[in-house]
């Protein structure tokens, strides 16, 4: 990857995570990778906005790209740390050993983290205040606190003359970036659709819990004239930044419901008796033209299930009783949905039991504070009979009526 000019003397430095087995945040699969972007402003004083994680050869690669702008790491005068999560600050410890003069601009909450994560003393940093301006030669920077997008100390940096927003995690997505396709106007419609789906998955995995902060952040930034969005993950939006702004607004508003007129089915089965009703449910949903997404627990990764559940107005759980409670892998999946604040959903549950039930009672207790509207459940003993299948058809028809009313 080479350093890329964005406009005037503003450049992107970036790396891609190429290891298909790497888990982002140690949890989330990223088979298509993720880019980690920093931004360099070269001028009377040289500014670097955000660093990179200290994995693979990423610090070396950032150094090489900075040298591509005919600068050394030691030439950076101002280091802006929008966010202290180690995917953006992992290089900080070594950077500050090499460059002993750069002044760090970050939020007050980030200052103790400089020491905690990177052994960098507070004396090297200036705590910004919300809206604070900093003129650096021809560049007019302004800092905005945007807490919890994605951790409490996060901020964004705006360049007022060129109307560039360096948004850090916000407006980011999974997916590696190709060498000469870094801007939204350089990629195909198909690639846009790919990044859109990777943005949803990134949002559901990383940001969703903080959706109320996203809405607050968007409100705060609404009067900024934004011509270019430079996120710390993903492509740069210079042709139509409103696309990703509107995507993020839509994702955040899903938390308040209703989301899209889709249903995510998550199913588990021990001996196939719950699995036997799956096709009946899917057939009814499809007959009603409701898009349906099907995941198995265990089997499908929670990162993918979360993205689907986040955008779906409806959730259907198919799960048997196991030792008087919910089938354990499903219980874990539901816990994951609740941690990520997947809320305001229309919900139904189907499931078999053998000797005695218990899953439904456990399900209701564990989802009591979920914000889910549980419309009903249907259980049967052993294998489902034709009468059970018919009752399930009727239940799903009724479920569809409510869902369509909810989303129209
Ligand atoms: Fe990309 Fe919250 O770090």
């Amino acid at each position: 990857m080479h350093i890329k000019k964005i406009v005037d003397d503003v450049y992107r430095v970036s790396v891609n995570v190429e290891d298909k087995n790497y888990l982002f945040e140690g949890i989330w699969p990223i088979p298509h990778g993720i880019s980690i972007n920093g931004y360099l402003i070269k001028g009377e004083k040289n500014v670097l906005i955000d660093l990179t994680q200290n994995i693979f050869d990423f610090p070396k690669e950032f150094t090489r790209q900075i040298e591509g702008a005919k600068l050394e790491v030691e030439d950076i005068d101002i280091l802006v740390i929008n966010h202290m999560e180690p995917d953006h600050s992992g290089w900080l410890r070594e950077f500050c050993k090499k460059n002993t003069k750069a002044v760090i601009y970050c939020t007050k909450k980030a200052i103790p983290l400089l020491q905690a994560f990177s052994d960098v003393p507070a004396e090297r940093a200036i705590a910004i205040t919300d809206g604070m301006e900093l003129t650096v030669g021809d560049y007019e920077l302004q800092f905005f606190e945007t807490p919890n997008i994605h951790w409490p100390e996060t901020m964004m940096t705006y360049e007022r003359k060129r109307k560039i927003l360096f948004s850090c995690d916000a407006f980011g997505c999974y997916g590696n970036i190709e060498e000469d396709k870094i801007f939204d106007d350089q990629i195909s419609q198909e690639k846009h659709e790919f990044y859109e789906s990777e943005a949803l998955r990134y949002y559901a995995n990383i940001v969703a819990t903080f959706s109320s902060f996203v809405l607050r952040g968007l409100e705060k930034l609404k009067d900024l004239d934004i011509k270019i969005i430079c996120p710390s993950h993903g492509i740069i939006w210079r042709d139509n930044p409103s696309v990703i702004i509107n995507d993020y607004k839509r994702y955040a508003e899903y938390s308040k419901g209703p989301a899209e007129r889709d249903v995510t089915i998550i199913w588990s089965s021990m001996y196939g008796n719950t699995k036997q009703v799956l096709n009946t449910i899917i057939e009814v949903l499809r007959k009603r033209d409701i898009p349906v997404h099907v995941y198995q627990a265990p089997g499908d990764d929670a990162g993918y299930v979360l993205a689907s559940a986040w955008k779906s107005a409806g959730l259907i759980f198919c799960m048997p009783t196991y030792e008087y409670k919910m089938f354990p892998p499903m219980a874990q999946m539901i816990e994951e949905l609740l941690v990520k604040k997947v809320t305001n959903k229309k919900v139904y549950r189907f499931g078999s039991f053998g000797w005695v039930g218990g899953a439904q009672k456990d399900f209701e207790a564990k989802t009591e504070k979920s914000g889910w509207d549980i419309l009903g459940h249907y259980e049967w003993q052993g294998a489902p009979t034709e009468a059970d299948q018919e009752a399930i058809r009727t239940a799903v028809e009724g479920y569809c009526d409510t869902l369509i009313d909810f989303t129209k």
Side-chain angles (χ1 to χ4, degrees):
M1 193 82 78
H2 295 98
I3 191 164
K4 299 288 178 190
K5 182 172 177 152
I6 299 169
V7 64
D8 298 334
D9 272 327
V10 182
Y11 299 88
R12 186 202 73 159
V13 287
S14 180
V15 288
N16 285 325
V17 175
E18 304 280 1
D19 180 350
K20 291 187 186 332
N21 296 317
Y22 186 80
L23 297 174
F24 192 60
E25 288 191 332
I27 312 174
W28 314 111
I30 44 169
H32 308 292
I34 187 169
S35 70
I36 299 174
N37 309 327
Y39 296 94
L40 174 67
I41 301 174
K42 187 178 170 186
E44 273 172 36
K45 288 194 170 184
N46 302 306
V47 182
L48 186 58
I49 302 174
D50 290 324
L51 299 175
T52 182
Q53 196 164 350
N54 190 9
I55 52 170
F56 307 118
D57 62 348
F58 287 177
K60 205 166 144 197
E61 181 60 18
F62 258 52
T63 303
R64 197 185 63 74
Q65 290 184 29
I66 290 166
E67 288 167 358
K70 308 272 183 287
L71 290 176
E72 303 292 330
V73 166
E74 293 88 336
D75 296 328
I76 302 298
D77 300 288
I78 293 171
L79 177 63
V80 176
I81 296 285
N82 280 325
H83 184 23
M84 268 303 291
E85 188 155 14
D87 52 333
H88 310 291
S89 71
W91 183 30
L92 183 61
R93 183 187 297 255
E94 294 308 316
F95 179 94
C96 285
K97 277 187 196 160
K98 202 164 179 189
N99 178 324
T100 52
K101 71 170 183 185
V103 178
I104 297 169
Y105 284 77
C106 60
T107 60
K108 192 176 169 189
K109 284 183 185 158
I111 287 183
L113 299 175
L114 297 172
Q115 180 80 56
F117 277 118
S118 308
D119 198 24
V120 172
E123 294 69 42
R124 285 202 62 166
I126 292 176
I128 63 103
T129 51
D130 194 30
M132 176 178 152
E133 295 172 18
L134 176 70
T135 299
V136 186
D138 188 40
Y139 293 85
E140 295 176 5
L141 303 179
Q142 189 170 18
F143 305 115
F144 292 98
E145 290 183 328
T146 50
N148 289 323
I149 319 174
H150 135 256
W151 292 125
E153 87 301 347
T154 318
M155 68 178 203
M156 296 186 196
T157 301
Y158 180 63
E159 202 289 310
R160 289 155 58 105
K161 283 177 98 168
R162 292 151 191 88
K163 306 182 192 315
I164 308 171
L165 183 67
F166 301 96
S167 61
C168 200
D169 278 344
F171 312 124
C173 71
Y174 291 148
N176 286 337
I177 308 298
E178 291 174 53
E179 178 76 42
D180 291 313
K181 293 180 178 166
I182 73 165
F183 295 107
D184 59 338
D185 52 289
Q186 292 178 321
I187 61 177
S188 65
Q189 184 55 32
E190 189 187 353
K191 200 76 181 175
H192 266 291
E193 285 165 15
F194 164 75
Y195 284 130
E196 207 275 333
S197 72
E198 288 290 84
L200 172 67
R201 197 162 64 85
Y202 167 89
Y203 185 93
N205 294 176
I206 311 296
V207 190
T209 313
F210 308 107
S211 288
S212 60
F213 290 93
V214 173
L215 291 170
R216 254 178 264 168
L218 290 172
E219 181 64 22
K220 181 185 232 178
L221 301 173
K222 76 175 191 313
D223 294 328
L224 279 189
D225 187 5
I226 299 170
K227 294 273 190 275
I228 304 175
I229 291 181
C230 292
S232 293
H233 305 289
I235 57 167
I236 295 167
W237 298 81
R238 67 176 179 187
D239 183 48
N240 196 356
S242 64
V243 170
I244 192 69
I245 293 172
N246 290 336
D247 282 347
Y248 263 62
K249 188 163 187 284
R250 196 173 75 251
Y251 302 155
E253 285 175 342
Y254 288 162
S255 64
K256 299 192 292 186
E260 293 177 28
R261 195 170 150 275
D262 291 24
V263 169
T264 293
I265 299 175
I266 311 168
W267 70 276
S268 304
S269 199
M270 292 170 67
Y271 296 105
N273 291 322
T274 296
K275 187 181 178 186
Q276 279 188 54
V277 306
L278 204 54
N279 280 342
T280 305
I281 298 166
I282 294 168
E283 270 170 28
V284 177
L285 291 167
R286 290 205 171 132
K287 222 174 350 167
R288 300 290 295 266
D289 288 327
I290 295 173
V292 51
H293 316 283
V294 182
Y295 296 90
Q296 187 180 2
D300 288 309
D301 188 89
Y304 288 86
V305 181
L306 273 168
S308 180
W310 189 258
K311 77 161 188 172
S312 297
L315 301 178
I316 293 179
F317 296 96
C318 300
M319 158 230 330
T321 288
Y322 184 93
E323 294 178 351
Y324 316 109
K325 291 187 181 293
M326 287 193 276
F327 188 62
M330 182 66 87
Q332 286 163 16
M333 188 66 84
I334 287 172
E335 175 64 19
E336 192 71 59
L337 298 180
L338 298 180
V339 165
K340 289 291 174 186
K341 294 199 167 71
V342 174
T343 187
N344 287 308
K345 306 292 180 190
K346 297 293 179 192
V347 172
Y348 216 101
R349 179 190 159 250
F350 300 94
S352 69
F353 61 91
W355 290 259
V356 64
Q360 185 61 26
K361 194 174 167 198
D362 188 28
F363 177 67
E364 286 170 8
K366 294 216 168 94
T367 59
E368 196 184 352
K369 294 180 182 161
S370 62
W372 296 348
D373 183 7
I374 299 174
L375 300 177
H377 69 279
Y378 186 87
E379 291 187 309
W380 62 95
Q381 188 167 27
T385 62
E386 186 42 47
D388 290 321
Q389 297 279 17
E390 194 49 42
I392 287 166
R393 263 181 221 107
T394 305
V396 180
E397 286 286 0
Y399 175 83
C400 291
D401 292 341
T402 307
L403 185 80
I404 290 165
D405 279 348
F406 180 55
T407 54
K408 75 185 175 190

